[in-house]
Amino acid sequence: MNLVCETCPVRDSAACSVLTEKERGTLSKAGRTRELERGELLFAAGDEEAACATLVTGALKVTSYDADGNERILALIHPSGFVGEMFAPFPSHDVVALTNSRLCVFARSEVEDAINRYPQLTRALLRRSQEDLHAARQLLAMGSGRSANAQVGALVLALAQAASNSPCHFAQRFDLPLTRGEMANMLGLTIETVSRAITSLEKMGGLKRNGARGIELIDPARLEDAD
Amino acid sequence: MNLVCETCPVRDSAACSVLTEKERGTLSKAGRTRELERGELLFAAGDEEAACATLVTGALKVTSYDADGNERILALIHPSGFVGEMFAPFPSHDVVALTNSRLCVFARSEVEDAINRYPQLTRALLRRSQEDLHAARQLLAMGSGRSANAQVGALVLALAQAASNSPCHFAQRFDLPLTRGEMANMLGLTIETVSRAITSLEKMGGLKRNGARGIELIDPARLEDAD
DNA sequence: CGCCTGTTTGATCAGAGTCAAAAAGTGTGG
DNA sequence: CCACACTTTTTGACTCTGATCAAACAGGCG
């Protein structure tokens, strides 16, 4: 399906927002929208024909697998995020939808053309890439030294932040986009430990659970430095 | 001191290698070389006037500090690597020399100018940024699930790779650029555990120690999947 | 030589993993 | 709408890896 940028919810925040209307129109002819259901694979590591995409709605995970086939989540992608490797010969990680999602997909050659044609697009992608780098490093920092409770608390806060529209504000009530297994996996913990940590955070008054996925933040500070 | 690109050991691999001789000459007038001794601080998180730099020789670490003041190493930078945040209002991490190092330093405004003037430089930086992102994610993957021995083994291999000139080849004998404490810190382990892991890897025939820092690889495969 | 920093080794302890099973949620078809 | 099957989450008991505390050891440098 062709792109309809006019009504795109991320038209002002995605990388393409730096283009003029005319340029955007040209680019939109090269791309296609794609809808994914939860669990559907967007790119697979080693794919022959690489592509890139901007996430419009939903959420994605970037994953790799260790020698024993255990999944490891390396990054979460939120709306207006960009995925795809423009330079490597092929993608090195799987990208999977965490929730039903809508994206703008471009063949890699199209992105390469666009980069050569629109320097401001290259700058926008550089900026995004640096933000991704920063996010990856924060994920590294989140794992270190802290107890399982603190790690889970920090992840819940990060997800609350992502769930709110504004970048430096927590959503009060929201649904976790990740299963316990996926949370465990991001933090290098087990499902049981994550479950126990959430129970413990609830008992100490940091949050309240609404079913398996629903979260209500009570006291964000208590999630930060849980014992 | 002014730059002397003619004899620069990374003139063909750093981001500036995509420039013509003439362009490079112009850019070199904007930058300065700087020498750092082991432990010296290049950028500090929150610095007012941000700068960027290309590493020529030596090694750097990018670090953050948690609430209790514990250092956490987020990335290692090797020669031809680029550090600095072009877009954030100020740097968010400290950058410190691991060994005596030489760099080309540019004020952020100079890099911004260069980016606007030379689209191919922007592309080169985008490429580097994606490589850094990939490295950060590999560091994430390195930490996950595996035993302490396996993590230390993987880190030693990664350092052996970095110590060799070619990217997909291990140095047979090399000196660790990191102290035990720094290794521990990258992996979220303790000094004692790292020390024990190296002892254990030596006992099982994966490597041989030469003093505190010297390493000789015996059997790389045994480092990969140490128990 | 003596001091200081970094590394190794040892003994003990606690936090997270593992194994196992119950409980809650989700979806399907009657 | 309910019954049933299936998945995900929670809880419990036990184990084990890696952290902690403590001390010996090695190397560099004044």
Side-chain angles (χ1 to χ4, degrees), chain B residues 1-223:
Chain B
M1 194 169 80
N2 266 314
L3 304 186
V4 244
C5 298
E6 285 71 26
T7 60
C8 175
V10 297
R11 59 173 284 123
D12 295 325
S13 52
C16 52
S17 68
V18 299
L19 299 176
T20 64
E21 282 309 309
K22 191 151 175 286
E23 292 166 341
R24 197 202 290 263
T26 307
L27 184 60
S28 75
K29 291 198 182 59
R32 292 284 178 278
T33 66
R34 179 151 176 214
E35 308 257 350
L36 294 178
E37 302 206 333
R38 172 174 176 79
E40 223 180 317
L41 183 67
L42 174 62
F43 306 143
D47 261 354
E48 283 300 319
E49 58 170 284
C52 301
T54 287
L55 181 61
V56 177
T57 61
L60 309 176
K61 63 178 174 182
V62 178
T63 65
S64 74
Y65 295 85
D66 66 18
D68 310 334
N70 303 309
E71 180 183 55
R72 171 77 214 236
I73 299 182
L74 302 173
L76 301 181
I77 309 293
H78 298 295
S80 89
F82 182 87
V83 285
E85 316 207 22
M86 278 88 82
F87 301 105
F90 47 80
S92 41
H93 304 301
D94 287 2
V95 179
V96 176
L98 285 169
T99 65
N100 295 351
S101 300
R102 173 196 301 269
L103 315 97
C104 293
V105 182
F106 300 87
R108 200 172 67 178
S109 59
E110 290 159 353
V111 177
E112 282 166 356
D113 288 353
I115 278 178
N116 289 324
R117 199 161 24 224
Y118 310 122
Q120 73 276 35
L121 182 63
T122 317
R123 280 198 294 280
L125 289 174
L126 176 56
R127 181 171 203 152
R128 286 221 96 76
S129 179
Q130 297 231 324
E131 283 166 5
D132 288 349
L133 181 59
H134 197 255
R137 288 175 176 173
Q138 284 210 301
L139 199 52
L140 269 173
M142 193 163 72
S144 166
R146 305 134 73 75
S147 73
N149 278 7
Q151 287 184 61
V152 173
L155 179 56
V156 169
L157 279 186
L159 293 173
Q161 210 155 43
S164 86
N165 314 345
S166 89
C168 50
H169 180 255
F170 299 128
Q172 222 72 22
R173 313 171 108 264
F174 66 104
D175 279 358
L176 296 169
L178 302 170
T179 66
R180 295 289 182 271
E182 285 162 341
M183 294 176 70
N185 194 311
M186 286 194 69
L187 298 170
L189 301 171
T190 59
I191 294 179
E192 295 95 323
T193 301
V194 171
S195 179
R196 275 186 254 269
I198 292 181
T199 303
S200 157
L201 293 173
E202 182 171 38
K203 276 195 188 130
M204 74 201 304
L207 55 79
K208 212 153 76 73
R209 266 185 304 203
N210 268 29
R213 295 297 191 82
I215 290 288
E216 178 175 353
L217 287 193
I218 306 292
D219 185 352
R222 246 184 280 220
L223 299 185

Side-chain angles (χ1 to χ4, degrees), chain A residues 1 23 76 85 107 115 120 137 144 157 161-162 170 184-185 190 222:
Chain A
M1 194 170 75
E23 291 166 342
L76 301 181
E85 315 208 20
I115 279 179
Q120 72 275 35
R137 287 175 176 174
S144 164
L157 279 185
Q161 210 154 42
F170 300 128
N185 199 310
T190 60
R222 246 183 281 217

Side-chain angles (χ1 to χ4, degrees), chain A residues 147-148 190 192-193 196:
Chain A
S147 71
T190 60
E192 295 95 321
T193 300
R196 275 187 254 268

Side-chain angles (χ1 to χ4, degrees), chain A:
Chain A
M1 194 170 75
N2 264 315
L3 303 185
V4 246
C5 298
E6 286 72 26
T7 61
C8 175
V10 298
R11 59 173 282 124
D12 295 325
S13 52
C16 51
S17 69
V18 300
L19 298 177
T20 65
E21 282 309 309
K22 192 152 173 287
E23 291 166 342
R24 199 203 288 265
T26 307
L27 184 59
S28 75
K29 291 198 180 60
R32 293 286 178 274
T33 67
R34 177 150 177 215
E35 309 257 350
L36 294 178
E37 302 207 334
R38 171 174 178 78
E40 222 180 317
L41 183 67
L42 175 61
F43 306 142
D47 260 353
E48 283 301 321
E49 59 170 281
C52 301
T54 287
L55 180 61
V56 177
T57 62
L60 308 177
K61 62 178 174 182
V62 178
T63 64
S64 74
Y65 295 84
D66 66 19
D68 311 334
N70 303 308
E71 180 183 55
R72 171 77 215 237
I73 298 182
L74 302 173
L76 301 181
I77 309 292
H78 299 293
S80 88
F82 183 87
V83 286
E85 315 208 20
M86 277 87 81
F87 300 104
F90 47 81
S92 40
H93 305 300
D94 286 4
V95 179
V96 176
L98 284 168
T99 65
N100 295 351
S101 300
R102 174 196 301 267
L103 315 98
C104 293
V105 182
F106 300 88
R108 200 171 68 178
S109 59
E110 291 159 353
V111 177
E112 281 166 357
D113 288 353
I115 279 179
N116 289 325
R117 198 159 26 221
Y118 310 122
Q120 72 275 35
L121 182 64
T122 316
R123 281 198 295 278
L125 289 174
L126 176 56
R127 181 171 203 151
R128 286 221 96 75
S129 179
Q130 298 229 325
E131 283 164 7
D132 287 349
L133 181 58
H134 197 254
R137 287 175 176 174
Q138 285 211 301
L139 199 53
L140 269 174
M142 192 162 74
S144 164
R146 303 134 74 76
S147 71
N149 278 6
Q151 287 184 62
V152 173
L155 179 56
V156 169
L157 279 185
L159 294 172
Q161 210 154 42
S164 87
N165 314 345
S166 89
C168 48
H169 181 255
F170 300 128
Q172 223 73 21
R173 313 172 107 264
F174 67 103
D175 278 359
L176 297 169
L178 302 170
T179 65
R180 294 289 181 272
E182 286 163 339
M183 293 175 69
N185 199 310
M186 286 194 69
L187 299 170
L189 301 171
T190 60
I191 294 180
E192 295 95 321
T193 300
V194 171
S195 178
R196 275 187 254 268
I198 292 181
T199 304
S200 156
L201 292 174
E202 183 171 38
K203 278 195 187 131
M204 74 199 305
L207 55 78
K208 212 153 77 74
R209 267 186 302 204
N210 268 31
R213 295 297 191 82
I215 291 287
E216 177 175 354
L217 287 192
I218 306 291
D219 185 352
R222 246 183 281 217
L223 299 186
E224 285 280 18
D225 44 50
D227 67 306

